[in-house]
Amino acid sequence: MTAAFAGSAPARAQAAGQQVEIPPVNVTAPAETRRPSRPAASRHADRGAPRPQPQRAQPAEQQQATAVAQSQDARTGTVGYYSNSTSVATKTDTPLLNIPQSLSVITKDFIRDQSYQNLTDVTRYVPGVAVHQGEGNRDELVIRGIDSSANFFVNGFRDDVQYFRDVYNTQSIELLKGPAAITFGRGAGGGVLNRTLKEADGTRVYEATAQTGSWGDRRFTLDAGQAINENVAARLNVFYEGADAFRDFNHLERYGINPTVTLTPDDDTRIKLSYEYFHDDRTADRGNPSQAEAGAPAGTTATRFNPTTPFAPTGDFSIFFGSPSLNQAIATVQTGMALIEHDFDNGLTVRNGTIAADYKKFYQNIYPTGGAFNGGVDPTDTFFNLGAYQHTTNRDNVFNQTDFTYKTWVGPTHHTVGFGTEFGRQTGVDIRNTGVFPNGTPTGINTITMNPFSPTYFGPVTFVHHFTNTNIGDGVTTADSNSSYGLNIQSGYVRDTVDITRYLQLIGAVRYDRFDMSALDMNTSIQRARLDNLVSPAAAVIVKPRDDLSVYGAYSVSYLPSTGDQFSALNNGQLILQPQKFENKEIGLKWNINPKYLLSTAIYQLDRTNQPVPVPGAPPGSGLAFPNGASTIRGLEISLNGYITDRWQSQLGYAYTDARVAKDLTAATVALPILAGNRVQLVPFSQFAWWNKYRFTDMWSAGVGVIYFGDSFASSDDTVRLPAFFRFDAGVYANIDRNWKAQLTVENILNTNYWASADGDNNISAGQGRTVRLKAMYKF
């Protein structure tokens, strides 16, 4: 169910007797303020009602307390690992209990306690989410069996370029599962990940951290902010990190700066401004090949009924299959955001936001591919093949969103109506060059044979752009991408949340997206264009037999145009293909077992249709395909998050996911086609994660976690199996005094060898070995 249909009502008071002592949220307000005792949006929540209705049960939003909620934590009821509400899902602050969709909020405290290096690593503790390798150069997730590199958002704006993000300025991470087109537009079939950034909310915060650890890790951050006066608040987040890695020759260096300002010219208006400069430079690592089976068909690694496994020379997971000097991924991102919110004092509020982002992205890979086994190690363990390419994917994004919320009575029912628009312009280039090796294979020099026990390549590679499908003597028979493109987006939505009684809520919504794309094929000078008009409906019903319990049923649809996640080019096939469709049916339950401990469950079926099926014998690069591929994903998700007691925090999740190919996805003429009944890439049947943190004294706390990830396949042809694994993590935390804190975390305590992810059958990532990180934090 798309989160955009949730009611906007804050949670009501907990039932009597359900009390648990929770550490308070400490908020240091500005020294002087003329502001009222609560934000304008809260003060005017009732003003849309034309008359008092004392005999009628009031909607929950009209029963909220008048406590000051200046900080981001206070506004969302965030304490430790628990959040009570989010505005990301519905564009207005809504309790998780009132959102008819599976939703996980990862708070800044949980992120800090884990000390993870990558954004997607944090999701290991979220059920129903798997990490895709992303060709070693980007964040990529598989959510409910749907793989996407584009369903990433920041403060609700699309952040769809392929790069590695950091969490230095992150307030929270929200993962919404299932189609979310009403709020987020195209794609979003399996779900989305949104980063909510830290903002200048007037709270005084001055904190510096220094971290060191395994693989030469060194990381420094600064978070500084306060109210300048009664009308202006400012905040600055800065970080730097450099490190090597458990994989030979791997390294990274990244840094970022994010100043923000909030202006409040009057009690009803808030203006937020933000700028970020971010740079990430690292080794691109496509991982290891798999082991070919004797008698495997040409171009494959195994037979369907005898799945093979990844290959690690002499059991050493640290050996690098690539080039230390040539494998690289570099991203430079500049982002500016402006947001204005206003309350009209009559039940109507408006939010208008704009983002302008410039992405410079380049990556270069030498990786296992090509040859007799498509990059796999031959059955006698004597050779495998390396190939090479480089890719430039620069992009500029500009989006403007306007969202209105109106609250009013219509007869005996209360309505919260949300409506708004989004306009966007995305332009960019997609240029790929193929690498050729000296002394290459007899069939051409676009690949080179290597010894699998000495797989690191130290020689030169020449990168050549191929304009046609004709072999020019180096073995390359496919033209390299060379596209300049532009995309215009116009969208509008409306959503009505109807409180029938205090026990029953109905939600209906629809979104229209106009997706107008053109692309110039600079190889052929052919200009192509395509227009899609997409209408995405959704509906839900929420039953609340108690104030702390909700049961919901939901239906939602979203679409992905034929140009796919990255829409970087148009070919003849994409001009005629219909958009992919994602249809989700879901029922779920949410229960606040105690005021800061939430149980969420969901059972769903997600159907994906109109997946492209390549036409046998179609000309290379034509993109000709049949739109009759399909997948069916059925699953169960359970999560428990928050405070079990005032000393014990817990985050537990389990997912059972049966993700199957419903119709053949590749032509039967290929050696190992993707056929109906195959399991979808990287989706295990069972996934379990449990993190616990216990506060022994006011000074000392400790945490321990376990992750179980069932067996899965490296691709949907089901030929390379990734074994199931357990991983254990731990941490020790010390509140030394009012200024100093320290923590020691250990990822993969038992130093278990496991395969963490993949990008196809012969690009398989080893899980990180035991990693120790020591962090000191100083508040001043």
Side-chain angles (χ1 to χ4, degrees), residues 138-211:
R138 62 180 180 262
D139 294 322
E140 189 164 344
L141 292 174
V142 182
I143 306 176
R144 285 191 173 176
I146 307 297
D147 188 347
S148 175
S149 64
N151 286 333
F152 291 89
F153 292 79
V154 55
N155 284 355
F157 293 105
R158 188 171 292 274
D159 179 35
D160 55 2
V161 172
Q162 299 174 329
Y163 71 105
F164 286 110
R165 298 151 182 86
D166 198 88
V167 294
Y168 76 101
N169 58 348
T170 299
Q171 172 74 12
S172 61
I173 295 170
E174 296 86 15
L175 281 142
L176 294 85
K177 285 169 270 186
I182 301 301
T183 303
F184 296 102
R186 72 177 189 268
V192 302
L193 182 151
N194 179 78
R195 288 177 296 142
T196 296
L197 302 186
K198 298 174 182 177
E199 67 181 47
D201 56 13
T203 303
R204 187 186 189 281
V205 54
Y206 286 90
E207 181 177 88
T209 73
Q211 176 180 296

Side-chain angles (χ1 to χ4, degrees), residues 375-395:
V377 177
D378 79 298
T380 62
D381 292 348
T382 57
F383 75 90
F384 76 104
N385 287 76
L386 285 176
Y389 70 97
Q390 59 181 205
H391 213 157
T392 298
T393 57
N394 296 340
R395 181 176 296 168

Side-chain angles (χ1 to χ4, degrees), residues 88-367:
V88 172
T90 65
K91 306 204 175 187
T92 185
D93 195 35
T94 305
L96 304 189
L97 207 66
N98 291 349
I99 297 175
Q101 179 176 11
S102 186
L103 168 66
S104 298
V105 177
I106 304 172
T107 69
K108 69 180 188 304
D109 284 4
F110 185 84
I111 295 169
R112 178 199 63 208
D113 285 353
Q114 300 299 320
S115 290
Y116 283 145
Q117 207 164 50
N118 296 312
L119 169 70
T120 51
D121 283 342
V122 180
T123 66
R124 292 284 187 187
Y125 281 93
V126 177
V129 180
V131 178
H132 187 287
Q133 181 205 86
E135 297 183 275
N137 72 80
R138 62 180 180 262
D139 294 322
E140 189 164 344
L141 292 174
V142 182
I143 306 176
R144 285 191 173 176
I146 307 297
D147 188 347
S148 175
S149 64
N151 286 333
F152 291 89
F153 292 79
V154 55
N155 284 355
F157 293 105
R158 188 171 292 274
D159 179 35
D160 55 2
V161 172
Q162 299 174 329
Y163 71 105
F164 286 110
R165 298 151 182 86
D166 198 88
V167 294
Y168 76 101
N169 58 348
T170 299
Q171 172 74 12
S172 61
I173 295 170
E174 296 86 15
L175 281 142
L176 294 85
K177 285 169 270 186
I182 301 301
T183 303
F184 296 102
R186 72 177 189 268
V192 302
L193 182 151
N194 179 78
R195 288 177 296 142
T196 296
L197 302 186
K198 298 174 182 177
E199 67 181 47
D201 56 13
T203 303
R204 187 186 189 281
V205 54
Y206 286 90
E207 181 177 88
T209 73
Q211 176 180 296
T212 187
S214 301
W215 331 117
D217 184 42
R218 53 208 181 275
R219 181 179 174 97
F220 308 93
T221 70
L222 173 67
D223 184 359
Q226 67 174 57
I228 305 302
N229 57 43
E230 62 185 15
N231 299 105
V232 181
R235 191 167 186 174
L236 175 68
N237 277 274
V238 180
F239 93 106
Y240 169 84
E241 183 168 23
D244 296 323
F246 82 104
R247 295 273 287 182
D248 293 344
F249 307 109
N250 274 224
H251 75 278
L252 73 84
E253 183 176 42
R254 55 186 172 180
Y255 48 87
I257 180 169
N258 179 204
T260 66
V261 175
T262 298
L263 311 174
T264 51
D266 58 53
D267 293 341
D268 297 325
T269 307
R270 179 177 293 120
I271 302 168
K272 302 175 186 178
L273 305 173
S274 172
Y275 168 77
E276 181 179 16
Y277 181 92
F278 174 76
H279 181 78
D280 185 289
D281 185 345
R282 67 177 68 205
T283 302
D285 188 348
R286 291 285 289 265
N288 291 31
S290 60
Q291 172 70 66
E293 292 280 332
T300 68
T301 56
T303 61
R304 178 173 310 284
F305 301 107
N306 185 23
T308 188
T309 57
F311 178 86
T314 64
D316 188 346
F317 280 46
S318 67
I319 294 177
F320 179 50
F321 287 72
S323 168
S325 60
L326 297 176
N327 282 62
Q328 57 181 318
I330 304 171
T332 301
V333 180
Q334 296 189 73
T335 305
M337 282 185 276
L339 175 70
I340 181 168
E341 300 170 329
H342 183 74
D343 191 314
F344 290 96
D345 290 355
N346 60 358
L348 179 67
T349 60
V350 64
R351 172 189 181 275
N352 179 268
T354 299
I355 184 172
D358 174 72
Y359 302 87
K360 296 290 188 292
K361 174 65 188 296
F362 173 83
Y363 58 102
Q364 188 167 271
N365 259 310
I366 287 77
Y367 68 111

Side-chain angles (χ1 to χ4, degrees), residues 696-725:
F696 295 96
T697 68
D698 290 343
M699 179 176 180
W700 292 102
S701 301
V704 63
V706 58
I707 294 171
Y708 171 76
F709 199 85
D711 69 351
S712 62
F713 286 97
S715 74
S716 297
D717 63 20
D718 288 9
T719 64
V720 180
R721 187 188 300 274
L722 307 183
F725 66 86

Side-chain angles (χ1 to χ4, degrees), residues 493-523:
Y493 75 92
V494 61
R495 173 189 64 244
D496 190 8
T497 301
V498 185
D499 291 281
I500 306 298
T501 72
R502 64 176 297 170
Y503 307 107
L504 177 64
Q505 192 175 71
L506 302 180
I507 305 167
V510 65
R511 178 174 176 129
Y512 166 77
D513 288 279
R514 187 176 189 271
F515 191 85
D516 184 4
M517 182 180 173
S518 63
L520 172 65
D521 184 340
M522 293 186 288
N523 288 335

Side-chain angles (χ1 to χ4, degrees), residues 414-462:
H414 185 271
H415 294 250
T416 301
V417 181
F419 56 98
T421 60
E422 180 176 45
F423 299 95
R425 172 69 175 169
Q426 299 183 263
T427 58
V429 296
D430 182 280
I431 304 170
R432 178 179 170 125
N433 299 319
T434 299
V436 293
F437 297 82
N439 305 315
T441 64
T443 58
I445 56 176
N446 61 306
T447 67
I448 189 169
T449 57
M450 297 286 294
N451 180 349
F453 294 95
S454 182
T456 308
Y457 179 72
F458 295 93
V461 176
T462 302

